[in-house]
Amino acid sequence: MKRKILMVNNMSVISFFWSSAGLLGIPFLKLEVDEALPPGAFVIAALFWSGLLLGILFQIIVAVMQKKSGQPPKKTHRERRMLIPIAILLIAFVLILCFWKSSLLCTVITLALLLFSIEIYFYLKRRYSV
């Protein structure tokens, strides 16, 4: 049962990476003010949302599987180390939004890293509690 739980948890981190990596295509879109969105924008949105929703669904499945296994979750608190990069990336994201609003590339990269580090936190929380 532990192997199945870890496999589904690994699938969630792949989906979360897919979601965050999808954001990195935003700077390469040619967005015009008066025109409709290009097809690439819809592809990026589909990548982001499908990866995010699949990752959340996999995390819910892991939680249900863990409850059915009957084992109490271990409390190792190893995932707390991920709070440091989350805090640093959050501060960097706010600073970029305040001072470098025009730099879309920096904003998107920081946002993608921030989201992925938050998603990794939840992945590690499930990983070490099995």
Side-chain angles (χ1 to χ4, degrees):
M1 185 65 151
K2 181 178 178 179
R3 182 176 278 185
K4 288 181 183 178
I5 292 172
L6 293 177
M7 183 184 69
V8 175
N9 199 29
N10 290 340
M11 290 171 33
S12 76
V13 81
I14 291 169
S15 298
F16 284 145
F17 176 75
W18 179 7
S19 170
S20 297
L23 292 176
L24 297 176
I26 291 174
F28 303 109
L29 293 176
K30 296 187 179 182
L31 301 173
E32 301 298 327
V33 177
D34 296 334
E35 294 182 20
L37 289 174
F42 295 106
V43 170
I44 289 172
L47 281 174
F48 174 75
W49 285 109
S50 63
L52 185 65
L53 293 176
L54 274 174
I56 291 171
L57 178 70
F58 287 138
Q59 285 293 312
I60 291 171
I61 291 170
V62 167
V64 169
M65 288 172 71
Q66 197 170 11
K67 281 185 183 178
K68 284 185 180 179
S69 72
Q71 296 176 340
K74 299 175 189 173
K75 301 210 184 239
T76 61
H77 302 296
R78 287 188 196 174
E79 74 278 353
R80 288 187 180 174
R81 288 183 238 158
M82 278 304 294
L83 294 177
I84 295 169
I86 290 171
I88 291 170
L89 287 168
L90 183 62
I91 291 169
F93 183 66
V94 169
L95 289 175
I96 287 172
L97 285 180
C98 289
F99 298 113
W100 296 291
K101 291 180 201 174
S102 61
S103 177
L104 182 63
L105 184 64
C106 288
T107 305
V108 169
I109 289 173
T110 309
L111 180 63
L113 289 174
L114 176 64
L115 288 176
F116 191 62
S117 62
I118 292 169
E119 293 158 348
I120 286 290
Y121 171 80
F122 289 108
Y123 164 77
L124 291 175
K125 190 170 185 160
R126 293 273 184 229
R127 171 106 175 124
Y128 294 128
S129 68
V130 175

